[in-house]
Amino acid sequence: MTDIIKLTAAETAARIASGELTAVEVTEAHLARIEAVDEKVHAFLHVDREGALAQARAVDAKRERGEKLGPLAGVPLALKDIFTTEGVPTTVGSKILEGWIPPYDATLTKRLKAADVVILGKTNMDEFAMGSSTENSAYGPTGNPWDLTRIPGGSGGGSSAALAAHMAPLAIGTDTGGSIRQPAAVTGTVGVKPTYGAVSRYGMVAFSSSLDQGGPCARTVLDAALLHEVIAGHDPMDSTSIDAPVPPVVEAARNGSVAGMRVGVVKQFRGEGYQAGVIQRFDESVELLKELGAEIVELDCPSFDLALSAYYLIAPSECSSNLARFDGLRYGLRTGDDGTRSAEEVTSLTREAGFGAEVKRRVMLGTYALSSGYYDAYYGSAQKVRTLITRDFEKAFEQVDVIVSPTTPTTAFPIGERADDPMAMYLADLCTIPTNLAGNAAMSLPCGLAPEDNLPVGLQIIAPALQDDRLYKVGAAVEAAFVEKWGHPLLEEAPSL
């Protein structure tokens, strides 16, 4: 089992295709790993043991019939519990959808199944993806496999923890303000936010519709690229889906190079609030890029300083609209319906019981920002700032091919440390939010351990919209350089397990 769970997704798929391993053997090994360690980590909200084994048996039957298998056939995956899965619970980390069984698959779920990827189950997350730590889940926090007393990032901490704990070689996350990249950074894994609209949002429970984006999570850049290729592509069921070819991400990951590329470093992505060890590892990564043949260009993007404020007006405003559907009348939790109360009273009692504190906070913020007399002052102004941020990116990408920065200002902080200080929690989003507001593509990959606490640090790479392959080209080059420098995968084993 130990050997199987340490394989990359690409290695696993190759061994299944050759007959060296069966998909059932691989799935059973990962299910056994989940059973052994997830009681401590709490990465999964639901493990679909029978469904996963049935998918694995179907892959083995295909191979026995001589049918050609896809590049990820039989590879297990952990799916963030925000995508609908027919016949399998989808809670979005909230009590308001506890026990809800969707009648249909999200487009992303369908594409995973069509590619013969084995879905192990649904992972823990901040309720409705609102958070930076996976402490806001109604079902309890997830621990970081590097130190179980610390957060695994948010909102997709369950997916990143499953990867770091070797419970799955692949995972899916969603990124509204950094919720793929931040968990990747603090768990020593790889996470990619594709260009907005590149991966269908149909069947993904909405938080902030103009920002939400599903994407791949893995332990290597190549594995992330292989998964990216499976889930991306135009979907007529999603009105925001881009009708454009998927960039050649796998080819880029197999041929990583930064020679001759211009790499931008934004001065706004450092300063007060950044941990010294994070900055040290980032500066070393910039020097490494120089050694690999990149030209480093200093950039000034003044509007980035306003991104956090703009985001925390736009995202709550959109969530206050999206979450209006959870009224206790159509699906999910219903409280107080004893025949004596009005529909309005039932809705109020249901939301009081079903929504957590962070969700209520953001709904109230958003409702206020959209209310009569305040719309232009708050939401309208935030959208203007969003335009300025997009323009700063456009100017920057006239000078450089990609931008790099730390992914998060600090390493993983202790569970509970920021629970009573929302502003401190929101500061974890400093480096990731501008990309969501502009709709660009971005990746986080490991760039070492911070010397103060021996915890992972993430390097963020940002590319222009529809140029996602640049992420993989640069990411693969950096990853290969780290492997060569240390002689083994930099972050092979999370020590607390």
Side-chain angles (χ1 to χ4, degrees):
M1 183 190 81
T2 303
D3 291 340
I4 291 175
I5 65 171
K6 292 291 182 68
L7 297 173
T8 68
E11 290 168 343
T12 300
R15 294 193 188 190
I16 291 171
S18 70
E20 184 179 342
L21 288 172
T22 67
V24 168
E25 287 174 330
V26 170
T27 301
E28 286 178 338
H30 285 89
L31 289 169
R33 177 66 170 177
I34 292 169
E35 189 173 343
V37 305
D38 198 43
E39 188 176 351
K40 294 186 287 184
V41 180
H42 189 41
F44 284 87
L45 293 178
H46 177 81
V47 178
D48 185 21
R49 181 179 182 86
E50 293 308 313
L53 288 171
Q55 290 174 283
R57 285 192 288 269
V59 172
D60 289 336
K62 272 189 173 182
R63 188 184 60 78
E64 288 172 8
R65 291 194 300 267
E67 296 180 26
K68 185 178 179 181
L69 299 180
L72 290 177
V75 179
L77 175 139
L79 181 61
K80 188 176 181 179
D81 197 25
I82 196 169
F83 290 94
T84 58
T85 41
E86 184 178 358
V88 176
T90 299
T91 70
V92 203
S94 179
K95 291 290 185 184
I96 210 161
L97 279 179
E98 186 173 21
W100 181 58
I101 309 294
Y104 70 102
D105 279 331
T107 295
L108 179 142
T109 308
K110 285 183 179 177
R111 288 179 175 173
L112 291 171
K113 290 179 178 178
D116 293 318
V117 174
V118 175
I119 301 173
L120 296 170
K122 310 296 284 294
T123 56
N124 197 18
M125 57 180 286
D126 283 306
E127 185 180 5
F128 282 94
M130 297 180 195
S132 304
S133 64
T134 313
E135 292 174 277
N136 294 324
S137 170
Y139 305 99
T142 295
N144 188 325
W146 284 82
D147 178 347
L148 292 171
T149 69
R150 294 177 182 261
I151 60 101
S155 62
S159 289
S160 65
L163 293 171
H166 291 91
M167 290 187 271
L170 295 174
I172 292 290
T174 62
D175 197 308
T176 305
S179 292
I180 287 174
R181 290 162 288 158
Q182 288 181 33
V186 300
T187 59
T189 57
V190 178
V192 179
K193 185 205 88 67
T195 297
Y196 178 78
V199 174
S200 174
R201 293 189 301 111
Y202 179 74
M204 185 176 88
V205 181
F207 159 21
S208 181
S209 299
S210 74
L211 300 166
D212 298 340
Q213 185 58 67
C217 310
R219 291 195 293 264
T220 71
V221 171
L222 176 59
D223 285 357
L226 291 165
L227 184 54
H228 187 140
E229 199 165 73
V230 165
I231 62 176
H234 180 244
D235 177 19
M237 299 294 285
D238 175 6
S239 63
T240 60
S241 177
I242 298 172
D243 189 2
V246 178
V249 293
V250 174
E251 179 186 342
R254 293 189 189 279
N255 299 285
S257 172
V258 297
M261 293 185 74
R262 299 165 301 163
V263 176
V265 176
V266 179
K267 76 175 188 179
Q268 282 76 15
F269 284 149
R270 64 189 302 142
E272 187 179 349
Y274 286 77
Q275 187 175 321
V278 170
I279 294 297
Q280 180 182 335
R281 293 294 177 244
F282 172 67
D283 288 342
E284 290 170 359
S285 298
V286 172
E287 288 302 312
L288 178 62
L289 287 164
K290 285 183 184 177
E291 293 172 16
L292 295 173
E295 176 191 351
I296 306 301
V297 180
E298 297 289 335
L299 297 171
D300 184 10
C301 299
S303 65
F304 286 11
D305 287 336
L306 305 173
L308 198 67
S309 300
Y311 174 88
Y312 278 103
L313 283 167
I314 294 169
S317 296
E318 294 186 4
C319 96
S320 75
S321 175
N322 279 324
L323 269 60
R325 71 194 71 179
F326 299 99
D327 54 12
L329 303 178
R330 285 172 279 194
Y331 43 72
L333 181 71
R334 180 179 300 172
T335 300
D337 186 13
D338 59 4
T340 67
R341 293 184 172 92
S342 68
E344 289 81 3
E345 289 174 311
V346 171
T347 295
S348 180
L349 288 169
T350 298
R351 289 172 174 167
E352 182 181 357
F355 287 148
E358 183 63 25
V359 171
K360 290 173 182 174
R361 180 184 293 118
R362 297 199 193 192
V363 167
M364 288 190 289
L365 280 170
T367 303
Y368 181 80
L370 293 174
S371 60
S372 178
Y374 297 100
Y375 180 95
D376 288 333
Y378 294 109
Y379 183 75
S381 295
Q383 291 288 18
K384 291 175 182 176
V385 169
R386 186 178 193 169
T387 300
L388 294 176
I389 290 167
T390 302
R391 288 175 179 170
D392 270 0
F393 270 120
E394 289 171 352
K395 291 176 185 175
F397 286 124
E398 289 174 0
Q399 304 173 61
V400 298
D401 300 301
V402 296
I403 294 169
V404 294
S405 77
T407 307
T408 56
T410 69
T411 56
F413 49 85
I415 292 172
E417 182 181 76
R418 304 183 187 181
D420 297 323
D421 189 349
M423 288 305 297
M425 185 75 77
Y426 296 166
L427 289 173
D429 305 338
L430 272 173
C431 300
T432 52
I433 275 175
T435 305
N436 294 88
L437 291 170
N440 298 329
M443 167 190 287
S444 178
L445 75 158
C447 65
L449 306 178
E452 308 97 316
D453 50 28
N454 214 36
L455 292 172
V457 176
L459 172 69
Q460 179 175 226
I461 306 166
I462 305 171
L466 297 176
Q467 302 295 324
D468 302 46
D469 52 314
R470 293 187 192 177
L471 302 176
Y472 293 96
K473 186 177 181 183
V474 176
V478 171
E479 181 182 69
F482 275 123
V483 170
E484 183 178 352
K485 193 168 185 178
W486 274 276
H488 58 81
L490 179 65
L491 305 178
E492 185 178 328
E493 181 68 71
S496 71
L497 298 176

